[in-house]
Amino acid sequence: MQNIVVAKPYRFVPPRFSPFWARIIQWYLPTYLRKSFGITSWECVGAERLRASLQAGSGVLVASNHCRPCDPMVLGLLSSEVARPFHVMASWHLFMQSRVLAFLLPRIGGFSVYREGLDRESLKCATRILAGAQYPLAIFPEGFVTRNNDRLLNLMDGAAFLARSAAKQRAASSLPGKVVVHPVFVRYFFEGDLAPTIAPVLQEIEARLSWQPQSHLPLRERIVKAGHALLALKEIEYLGAVQSGGVRERLAHLLNHLLEPLDQEWTGGRREPDPMTRIKCLRTALLPDMVQGELTEEESAHRWRRLADLYLAQQLHCYSGDYLADAPTPERLLETVERYEEDLTDAARPHPPIHTVISVGEAIEATPTRDRSADSDPMANELRRQLEMMLEESKTRRRT
């Protein structure tokens, strides 16, 4: 389990933007992306839309998909393209991982948000940044790294809420101009020879399964076979036996088996419709007593086990069951192997060369109030519509 939950009292970390450190990071960013994530080239599409909003003096919220851990750094390339630093709302656990991150993140515009509870200080800070319109604010509405460049998971409602709050604050001030949301879709293209690139990872996974290397199989079948084995191991661990049925049904069954008893124990049986909202509510219920540090050793261990179950549920939610159906792209195959490795070891090694396309959508103007006559949030609907449109359009950006 990655260290995404911190059992300590939360303290808001505000941005302390430093032009000096921002210039240093911008200078080092291409090297860092190449060494740590295999990104060797990139291009920005539609950056003039973002530039026009900035030149008009609008408060700008950049709302991006989040399929890879490097997405926040990739948005730094867009920041450089439009010559304007970005503020970034980042999960609090990132500030707790190392002293280096705790020092650098605020100085390049980052500030914390507590995902396991209501964080009023973070919301106030985000609203103030948007209403002030000096720098854009970047957020990731999916809420976590999905490892799905060809799927858009459920979007949290925070983007529309923040934009409207800032529009309301700006309307009450003497500042002219609007608050707008710019959807951004980041697409990654693998441009190398895939089979020899990921073969070492597959061989290590097969060795963990006590298999001989399955190099006689076609690449897709080899990846699918490893996935079936990993799912079967979890089914045996939690359900006692390998289950029948298709992969999609088996994933849903295991996911519900993990969450159902936790719903009964911690939320009185209340069940949110979206799995990630459900997982977040359960984390929120589990953590407060752990943060106080007054639990017995046995109870603390019990709750950490439940948090590990929730982490597994989050990872299962990212597998669709049919991501490798038909003729999957090299990127789908690569993402799946990276997800296997990350689930087994908590980290995935870089696989260059990767070309990145950063697409900027049309500005969505925020109004101070929401139209309550609509069944759903019109701004959130438009954000999702544009992101889905850019997801499809970005597929045509592959270089030959």
Side-chain angles (χ1 to χ4, degrees):
M1 183 176 74
Q2 289 183 339
N3 186 23
I4 62 171
V5 176
V6 181
K8 296 180 181 178
Y10 172 69
R11 291 183 179 179
F12 173 64
V13 182
R16 298 182 176 90
F17 182 74
S18 163
F20 170 78
W21 284 107
R23 284 194 297 270
I24 294 293
I25 295 301
Q26 283 285 359
W27 169 77
Y28 183 64
L29 186 58
T31 301
Y32 177 71
L33 287 171
R34 184 180 69 253
K35 288 184 175 180
S36 299
F37 301 102
I39 295 172
T40 53
S41 59
W42 60 88
E43 61 181 296
C44 296
V45 178
E48 69 279 357
R49 295 168 174 165
L50 177 55
R51 200 176 290 115
S53 294
L54 294 171
Q55 290 171 351
S58 299
V60 174
L61 180 64
V62 172
S64 173
N65 65 316
H66 200 7
C67 66
R68 285 180 171 267
C70 58
D71 294 330
M73 285 69 80
V74 166
L75 290 188
L77 301 173
L78 177 61
S79 165
S80 181
E81 180 75 14
V82 299
R84 190 76 65 94
F86 287 4
H87 281 292
V88 180
M89 182 183 284
S91 175
W92 183 54
H93 81 274
L94 296 173
F95 296 82
M96 299 293 105
Q97 288 186 345
S98 72
R99 291 184 179 181
V100 173
L101 278 177
F103 176 84
L104 284 177
L105 283 175
R107 285 161 179 80
I108 59 175
F111 62 97
S112 69
V113 61
Y114 190 51
R115 299 190 303 181
E116 280 70 43
L118 179 60
D119 187 351
R120 289 187 174 86
E121 286 299 316
S122 184
L123 294 176
K124 288 178 184 177
C125 180
T127 303
R128 188 166 57 248
I129 288 169
L130 283 175
Q134 184 179 8
Y135 302 126
L137 170 63
I139 66 170
F140 298 93
E142 286 173 293
F144 68 107
V145 179
T146 68
R147 292 277 182 195
N148 282 260
N149 210 174
D150 269 346
R151 290 171 64 218
L152 196 64
L153 272 63
N154 187 57
L155 304 183
M156 306 293 181
D157 56 6
F161 174 80
L162 282 176
R164 272 194 297 269
S165 298
K168 184 176 181 179
Q169 185 171 315
R170 188 150 192 170
S173 71
S174 59
L175 292 172
K178 304 176 290 187
V179 172
V180 299
V181 178
H182 275 284
V184 169
F185 192 85
V186 182
R187 166 71 67 178
Y188 298 93
F189 292 107
F190 178 75
E191 296 189 331
D193 190 350
L194 185 62
T197 298
I198 61 176
V201 185
L202 285 170
Q203 190 162 331
E204 288 180 19
I205 293 171
E206 289 157 357
R208 279 175 171 260
L209 297 169
S210 72
W211 290 358
Q212 293 290 336
Q214 303 293 294
S215 52
H216 59 284
L217 293 174
L219 186 59
R220 175 187 171 277
E221 281 71 18
R222 187 178 183 183
I223 295 171
V224 169
K225 185 176 181 179
H228 280 300
L230 295 173
L231 175 58
L233 286 173
K234 285 301 174 185
E235 288 176 330
I236 293 169
E237 178 184 359
Y238 284 93
L239 301 170
V242 177
Q243 303 298 291
S244 60
V247 173
R248 184 189 289 271
E249 292 75 25
R250 290 166 62 193
L251 285 167
H253 179 57
L254 180 54
L255 178 64
N256 194 58
H257 177 83
L258 289 166
L259 297 182
E260 191 68 37
L262 293 175
D263 287 334
Q264 297 298 326
E265 183 179 1
W266 296 102
T267 62
R270 181 170 57 88
R271 178 175 171 177
E272 298 290 340
D274 172 62
M276 280 312 301
T277 307
R278 197 174 169 188
I279 291 167
K280 181 180 177 181
C281 288
L282 287 166
R283 281 195 185 127
T284 302
L286 277 161
L287 268 174
D289 292 338
M290 298 177 69
V291 169
Q292 298 302 320
E294 297 177 355
L295 298 176
T296 64
E297 185 175 337
E298 182 181 3
E299 177 61 21
S300 180
H302 170 72
R303 296 199 188 196
W304 276 115
R305 286 195 297 271
R306 299 293 77 80
L307 287 170
D309 290 344
L310 289 174
Y311 180 80
L312 173 59
Q314 176 177 304
Q315 299 306 95
L316 290 172
H317 179 55
C318 292
Y319 290 93
S320 67
D322 59 0
Y323 204 55
L324 300 186
D326 302 324
T329 61
E331 292 76 30
R332 288 195 181 199
L333 296 169
L334 178 61
E335 283 173 358
T336 302
V337 172
E338 288 175 332
R339 194 181 301 124
Y340 292 169
E341 184 179 25
E342 189 174 66
D343 288 346
L344 287 168
T345 68
D346 286 340
R349 69 198 73 179
H351 296 100
I354 291 178
H355 177 68
T356 304
V357 179
I358 310 160
S359 301
V360 182
E362 298 284 354
I364 306 169
E365 184 176 351
T367 57
T369 58
R370 173 182 165 180
D371 180 6
R372 295 293 176 180
S373 63
D375 293 335
S376 56
D377 190 329
M379 185 183 298
N381 292 343
E382 176 61 15
L383 173 61
R384 184 171 191 96
R385 186 193 71 81
Q386 285 204 41
L387 284 171
E388 288 179 339
M389 182 180 67
M390 287 190 287
L391 184 157
E392 294 300 325
E393 191 277 335
S394 64
K395 294 177 182 178
T396 66
R397 299 282 175 178
R398 184 186 299 277
R399 302 192 298 188
T400 56

